[in-house]
């Protein structure tokens, strides 16, 4: 696939790509509509504090973790068209509540619920995988994610101006946020009627069970359990931090911990229920896949997308305070980190397609991330602003490219459960954000950048040991196993009148 192909809008797959990245763009615009308006909120609402804003930043990524898992399962069962449309319409409600909330409870709860919108990324990844061939998937996924992810940069660049010039006054930030929510709901309705799940009905392949990810060996089942526990368990960090800041009572915290524990136990039980019968029967050789590769990509998304979410949330204020800039200028400069998405993420996928070795590309990008954040950790007010911007762009180039490389691999691991693998890896991106943003409340920005660099180098090491080059990653078609054909035959029988 050539870069120029994205202009062939009459092509069904290119049209689907554009419809989907626009949906993703809008959801990310809404998801990150708070950070660039944080200073305006503090000036407008006299009872809000800087610690409150930091708390909102953590809650803004919290429920994305379980949401991506749930959405991953829903994708494999219902298809991305329905899931994306419903997600956009329903998430406009908490966005509107946050816009006009006038109590701490309203702002905190609505921001927490709205964090589920982060699951939108996984939906579009799955939709794009249904429309494009293995040999082109890296660039297609990278273009989708890069241009869609630009929504966060667009929010940083435009929302302060919209709030100040279009609406003005102390409540300008409220109307700017509300406007983004209304646009998202309208596009959600449009998307339902504008697209299908792949070029034909056979594109969307359902797994045997959507309740949990299928694995190939008993050892892989243990690994799946171990990698599943932190996905919801890390929400305990959020509960602890909210309690520590005085926003949650001891009783409330205990209830939250019990709920988190119950959810973790439920997930483990589902993994056992789905996989024990499959493993006892035996998994055919042509249907097996290495879960270690999934685990390695979980770590890459923890280290790259987790870093991006965390840095995008704190970078406007970092530039504002370090170089004494106003909110609009700081937001515009900080947006350079996400602005690179337009080029770097599609390039990461394209390089993954062209190099003929997706594993090598992944390793190279993760090492680059570590170097970039080490350089950002060295920044302070004595550095020229132009150099700081250049280093930020350099780091972002590797961060976004690594994200593109990650999802250049995922669709080729196991076609039938792409939704669940995407959901898990995507959720680990938010685990990274929660961990990083929580650590940020205790450290200086310099220390924060060094911590993120350490996470990138650790992920590089994990990939070096565990990540395997996926088979058929550059083929004309995705591998169809004997189990895939069996499921397809069973679905066809159910669809026949009188057979279901």
């Amino acid at each position: 696939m050539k870069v120029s192909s994205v202009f062939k809008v009459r092509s069904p797959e290119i049209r689907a790509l554009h419809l989907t990245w626009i949906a993703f763009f809008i959801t990310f615009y809404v998801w990150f509509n708070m950070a660039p308006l944080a200073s305006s909120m503090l000036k407008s609402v006299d009872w809000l504090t800087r610690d409150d804003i930091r708390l909102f930043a953590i809650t803004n990524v919290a429920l994305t973790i379980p949401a991506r898992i749930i959405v991953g399962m829903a994708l494999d069962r219902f298809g991305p068209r329905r899931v994306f449309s419903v997600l956009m319409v329903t998430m406009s409600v908490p966005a509107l509540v946050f816009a006009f909330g006038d109590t701490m409870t309203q702002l905190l709860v609505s921001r927490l619920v709205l964090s589920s919108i982060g699951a939108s990324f996984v939906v579009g990844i799955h939709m794009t995988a249904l429309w494009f061939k293995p040999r082109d998937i890296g660039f297609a996924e990278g273009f989708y994610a890069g241009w869609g992810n630009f929504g966060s940069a667009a929010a940083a660049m435009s929302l302060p101006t919209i709030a100040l010039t279009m609406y003005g006054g102390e409540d300008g930030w409220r109307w700017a946020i509300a406007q983004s929510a209304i646009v998202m709901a309208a596009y959600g309705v449009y998307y339902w009627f504008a697209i299908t799940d792949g070029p034909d009905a056979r594109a969307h392949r359902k797994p045997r069970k959507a309740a949990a990810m299928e694995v190939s060996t008993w050892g892989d089942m243990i690994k799946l359990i171990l990698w599943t526990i932190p996905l919801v368990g890390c929400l305990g960090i959020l509960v602890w931090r909210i309690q520590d800041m005085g926003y949650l009572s001891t009783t409330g915290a205990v209830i939250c911990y019990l709920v988190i524990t119950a959810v973790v136990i439920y997930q483990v039980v589902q993994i056992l229920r789905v996989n024990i019968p499959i493993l006892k029967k035996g998994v055919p050789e042509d249907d097996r896949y290495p879960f270690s590769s999934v685990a390695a990509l979980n770590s890459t998304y923890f280290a790259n997308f987790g870093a991006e979410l965390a840095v995008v949330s704190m970078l406007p204020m970092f530039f504002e305070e370090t170089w004494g800039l106003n909110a609009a200028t700081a937001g515009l400069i900080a947006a350079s980190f996400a602005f690179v998405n337009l080029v770097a993420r599609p390039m990461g996928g394209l390089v993954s397609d062209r190099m003929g070795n997706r594993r090598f590309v992944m390793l190279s990008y993760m090492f680059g991330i570590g170097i970039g954040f080490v350089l950002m950790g060295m920044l302070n007010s004595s550095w020229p602003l132009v150099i700081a911007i250049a280093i930020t762009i350099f780091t972002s180039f590797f961060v976004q490219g690594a994200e593109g490389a990650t999802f250049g691999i995922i669709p080729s691991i196991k076609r039938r459960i792409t939704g669940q693998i995407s959901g898990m890896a995507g959720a680990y991106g938010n685990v990274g954000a929660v961990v990083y943003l929580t650590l940020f409340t205790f450290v200086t920005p310099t220390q924060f950048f060094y911590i993120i660099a350490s996470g990138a180098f650790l992920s590089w090491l994990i990939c070096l040991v565990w990540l395997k080059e996926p088979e058929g990653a550059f083929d004309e078609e995705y591998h169809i196993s004997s189990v895939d054909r069996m499921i397809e035959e069973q679905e066809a029988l159910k669809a026949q009148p009188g057979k279901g």
Side-chain angles (χ1 to χ4, degrees):
M1 181 177 177
K2 298 179 180 179
V3 176
S4 59
S5 298
V6 299
F7 298 105
K8 299 176 181 177
V9 292
R10 292 186 178 181
S11 171
E13 63 268 21
I14 298 302
R15 181 174 180 273
L17 178 62
H18 288 307
L19 285 171
T20 303
W21 79 254
I22 291 171
F24 180 36
F25 175 96
I26 294 171
T27 58
F28 258 48
Y29 189 98
V30 173
W31 192 15
F32 289 99
N33 60 16
M34 183 193 74
L37 298 173
S39 298
S40 299
M41 292 174 63
L42 288 172
K43 294 174 184 175
S44 170
V45 186
D46 55 12
W47 45 265
L48 271 182
T49 67
R50 195 172 298 273
D51 281 342
D52 294 333
I53 296 297
R54 285 190 169 192
L55 177 62
F56 292 155
I58 299 173
T59 56
N60 198 46
V61 297
L63 288 189
T64 308
I65 300 167
R68 286 193 171 186
I69 301 168
I70 295 169
V71 164
M73 295 176 181
L75 282 173
D76 288 332
R77 183 170 183 178
F78 300 110
R81 177 184 67 90
R82 295 176 181 176
V83 175
F84 220 154
S85 295
V86 170
L87 193 64
M88 283 188 278
V89 173
T90 55
M91 285 299 106
S92 65
V93 176
L96 288 169
V97 172
F98 183 83
F100 299 110
D102 55 9
T103 68
M104 184 63 186
T105 300
Q106 289 175 346
L107 293 177
L108 183 63
V109 173
S110 61
R111 205 75 221 176
L112 182 65
V113 175
L114 181 59
S115 66
S116 301
I117 194 62
S120 62
F121 167 72
V122 175
V123 187
I125 283 289
H126 193 57
M127 177 65 89
T128 305
L130 293 179
W131 278 95
F132 287 86
K133 307 294 185 185
R135 66 175 188 275
D136 300 323
I137 196 63
F139 177 72
E141 297 284 24
F143 184 89
Y144 153 76
W147 282 71
N149 216 355
F150 183 64
S152 62
M157 290 188 293
S158 64
L159 280 171
T161 303
I162 292 173
L164 291 172
T165 61
M166 185 178 294
Y167 295 106
E170 289 189 352
D171 290 336
W173 67 271
R174 295 183 183 276
W175 290 105
I177 289 176
Q179 175 182 294
S180 67
I182 293 169
V183 170
M184 181 172 68
Y187 194 83
V189 174
Y190 170 73
Y191 193 80
W192 180 282
F193 299 101
I195 198 169
T196 58
D197 291 330
D200 56 62
R202 298 181 63 186
H204 176 56
R205 293 185 177 275
K206 297 182 179 181
R208 284 179 284 197
K209 299 285 185 180
M213 190 184 301
E214 300 171 24
V215 294
S216 303
T217 67
W218 293 100
D220 283 353
M221 185 175 71
I222 300 301
K223 292 176 186 176
L224 174 58
I225 291 172
L226 293 176
W227 279 87
T228 297
I229 292 172
L231 288 175
V232 179
C234 82
L235 293 179
I237 297 174
L238 176 63
V239 174
W240 166 76
R241 189 60 183 144
I242 294 175
Q243 182 188 12
D244 186 60
M245 295 177 73
Y247 295 117
L248 188 64
S249 66
T250 302
T251 302
V254 170
I255 292 173
C256 290
Y257 288 134
L258 291 173
V259 170
I260 291 170
T261 302
V263 173
V264 169
I265 292 172
Y266 173 77
Q267 285 185 303
V268 172
V269 170
Q270 290 298 100
I271 290 171
L272 296 173
R273 287 182 60 188
V274 168
N275 284 290
I276 287 178
I278 293 174
L279 295 174
K280 281 184 175 180
K281 185 178 179 181
V283 179
E285 191 65 34
D286 71 339
D287 197 54
R288 297 190 174 198
Y289 73 96
F291 183 80
S292 292
S293 289
V294 178
L297 295 173
N298 289 344
S299 80
T300 65
Y301 222 60
F302 178 104
N304 54 48
F305 190 65
E308 180 186 351
L309 291 184
V311 170
V312 165
S313 298
M314 56 76 69
L315 209 53
M317 196 169 287
F318 170 70
F319 274 103
E320 188 175 345
E321 295 179 348
T322 305
W323 282 276
L325 307 173
N326 61 48
T329 303
L332 188 63
I333 293 174
S336 64
F337 192 89
F339 189 89
V340 180
N341 259 312
L342 293 176
V343 176
R345 193 150 182 172
M347 184 178 292
L350 185 62
V351 170
S352 183
D353 288 342
R354 297 285 175 84
M355 284 289 290
N357 189 323
R358 298 193 189 276
R359 178 179 180 272
F360 173 78
V361 173
M362 189 78 260
L363 287 167
S364 300
Y365 271 114
M366 293 311 300
F367 195 81
I369 291 174
I371 298 297
F373 279 117
V374 167
L375 292 174
M376 288 189 73
M378 298 167 66
L379 294 176
N380 55 53
S381 58
S382 66
W383 287 63
L385 182 59
V386 66
I387 299 298
I389 295 173
I391 290 175
T392 299
I393 292 173
F394 170 84
T395 305
S396 180
F397 178 85
F398 282 97
V399 171
Q400 325 297 353
E403 293 166 3
T406 297
F407 281 89
I409 296 175
I410 283 178
S412 297
I413 292 178
K414 189 62 185 169
R415 174 71 163 175
R416 190 170 67 247
I417 54 173
T418 295
Q420 290 169 305
I421 296 175
S422 298
M424 189 176 202
Y428 260 97
N430 289 88
V431 172
V434 169
V435 171
Y436 287 146
L437 283 170
T438 301
L439 290 173
F440 180 58
T441 62
F442 298 102
V443 299
T444 65
T446 295
Q447 293 169 329
F448 183 61
F449 291 132
Y450 285 139
I451 288 171
I452 294 177
S454 300
F457 285 129
L458 178 60
S459 174
W460 175 86
L461 184 60
I462 292 173
C463 286
L464 185 66
V465 177
W466 283 351
L467 184 61
K468 294 178 174 60
E469 181 71 14
E471 295 181 14
F474 302 96
D475 292 347
E476 282 284 332
E477 299 291 343
Y478 289 99
H479 171 69
I480 305 299
S481 72
S482 56
V483 175
D484 290 322
R485 288 191 290 271
M486 178 193 70
I487 294 173
E488 187 176 341
E489 290 169 2
Q490 291 174 346
E491 291 292 326
L493 282 174
K494 289 181 182 178
Q496 292 178 15
K499 297 285 187 180

